[in-house]
Amino acid sequence: MKQPRRFPSLPTAAVVLTAVICMVLLGFWQLDRMHQKEQRLASIAQKSGEGAISLDALKPQQEDIRDYQVGFNGRAESNQILFLDNRVQNGKVGYEVLVPVQSTDGTVLVNFGWVAAPALRSELPHVDLAQTYQHFHGRISIPGHNPVVRETLPFDASFPVVIQAVDLDFIRRLTGKSLLPYVVELTAPEQSEFIRDWQPVVMPPEKHFAYAIQWFGLAVAAAAVSYFSLISNRKG
């Protein structure tokens, strides 16, 4: 007796179609990320070639000020040191050291770089912010918002303090300073105790392109398997 032809159920077909569409969309999302990274790298190269500018020359309300090189004179508020927690450098856990710096153009939060954590969690690193820091040179960074990380430090905490994220509104209340709306990641003067390995673009555009090809390939494979399965069932 001839067996009736078997056709994929509507729910199965819907699942396969949804999966294929999702994979195609993920591929296009990776391509979009690739273009964003290419534009960011081009912007970094352009701004680096322009040399250092003053803080007063920045126009945060009119343009993307990320990655501008800046130079300014100032005085670090060494009694208000903030340690950004859970920073890893070469497999070692440590902190990034952030300090408000009073300049002629306002108070700006400066990231001095990474230092290793002491053996005991209850201890904090000792950092030397001596009077040698009078002229600062660095690049502009805009802190991102991470909804997963929540700050638990009370506003009346005693310095030095450990923070979980660079939340400028929170740090303004904590320090009592009217901070400028960005952070300067310091590149000079050099200081041996700090490690500075700033990477504004962590994943290169080529990586996003490779991921996009993978998603498109998976979409084609899923569609092909479903198609040949349908043909096989019809012939059965």
Side-chain angles (χ1 to χ4, degrees), residues 170-217:
F170 177 86
I171 296 174
R172 286 187 184 101
R173 294 180 64 183
L174 182 66
T175 61
K177 307 289 186 184
S178 299
L179 299 173
L180 295 170
Y182 47 80
V183 175
V184 175
E185 295 178 339
L186 210 62
T187 56
E190 295 292 338
Q191 185 102 345
S192 59
E193 64 181 304
F194 296 109
I195 294 178
R196 297 164 184 158
D197 184 23
W198 311 124
Q199 297 183 16
V201 176
V202 178
M203 185 180 294
E206 296 79 12
K207 198 73 171 178
H208 289 288
F209 181 75
Y211 285 146
I213 295 300
Q214 289 179 7
W215 282 118
F216 289 140

Side-chain angles (χ1 to χ4, degrees), residues 116-217:
L120 297 178
R121 177 68 179 177
S122 58
E123 298 179 358
L124 291 175
H126 171 74
V127 294
D128 182 18
L129 302 179
Q131 295 300 320
T132 53
Y133 283 96
Q134 296 179 354
H135 182 75
F136 300 83
H137 189 285
R139 56 179 292 275
I140 296 296
S141 172
I142 305 296
H145 173 65
N146 187 345
V148 177
V149 179
R150 298 187 63 183
E151 189 60 69
T152 58
L153 187 71
F155 291 117
D156 59 352
S158 300
F159 289 94
V161 297
V162 177
I163 58 174
Q164 303 304 315
V166 184
D167 183 337
L168 288 177
D169 288 335
F170 177 86
I171 296 174
R172 286 187 184 101
R173 294 180 64 183
L174 182 66
T175 61
K177 307 289 186 184
S178 299
L179 299 173
L180 295 170
Y182 47 80
V183 175
V184 175
E185 295 178 339
L186 210 62
T187 56
E190 295 292 338
Q191 185 102 345
S192 59
E193 64 181 304
F194 296 109
I195 294 178
R196 297 164 184 158
D197 184 23
W198 311 124
Q199 297 183 16
V201 176
V202 178
M203 185 180 294
E206 296 79 12
K207 198 73 171 178
H208 289 288
F209 181 75
Y211 285 146
I213 295 300
Q214 289 179 7
W215 282 118
F216 289 140

Side-chain angles (χ1 to χ4, degrees), residues 83 87 89 92-97 113-118 125-127 193-195:
F83 291 97
R87 303 290 100 179
Q89 187 70 233
K92 295 182 179 180
V93 178
Y95 304 92
E96 288 180 10
V97 180
W114 181 91
V115 292
H126 171 74
V127 294
E193 64 181 304
F194 296 109
I195 294 178

Side-chain angles (χ1 to χ4, degrees), residues 8-115:
S9 65
L10 185 60
T12 301
V15 169
V16 172
L17 181 60
T18 301
V20 170
I21 291 175
C22 288
M23 287 184 281
V24 170
L25 291 176
L26 285 169
F28 280 114
W29 177 73
Q30 289 290 348
L31 289 179
D32 183 60
R33 293 290 293 156
M34 179 190 73
H35 294 314
Q36 291 178 16
K37 294 294 181 64
E38 289 175 340
Q39 293 172 356
R40 181 77 187 277
L41 289 173
S43 175
I44 291 173
Q46 176 188 352
K47 291 172 180 175
S48 297
E50 294 176 357
I53 62 175
S54 66
L55 296 178
D56 187 52
L58 296 171
K59 298 178 175 57
Q61 306 301 326
Q62 301 178 19
E63 61 174 335
D64 182 4
I65 64 172
R66 292 177 303 172
D67 308 310
Y68 269 119
Q69 302 292 318
V70 294
F72 58 96
N73 293 322
R75 178 179 57 83
E77 301 287 351
S78 57
N79 61 334
Q80 291 188 326
I81 298 177
L82 303 100
F83 291 97
L84 181 59
D85 203 4
N86 295 319
R87 303 290 100 179
V88 178
Q89 187 70 233
N90 296 325
K92 295 182 179 180
V93 178
Y95 304 92
E96 288 180 10
V97 180
L98 296 103
V99 183
V101 172
Q102 182 65 46
S103 76
T104 55
D105 298 311
T107 304
V108 59
L109 190 64
V110 171
N111 190 330
F112 282 74
W114 181 91
V115 292

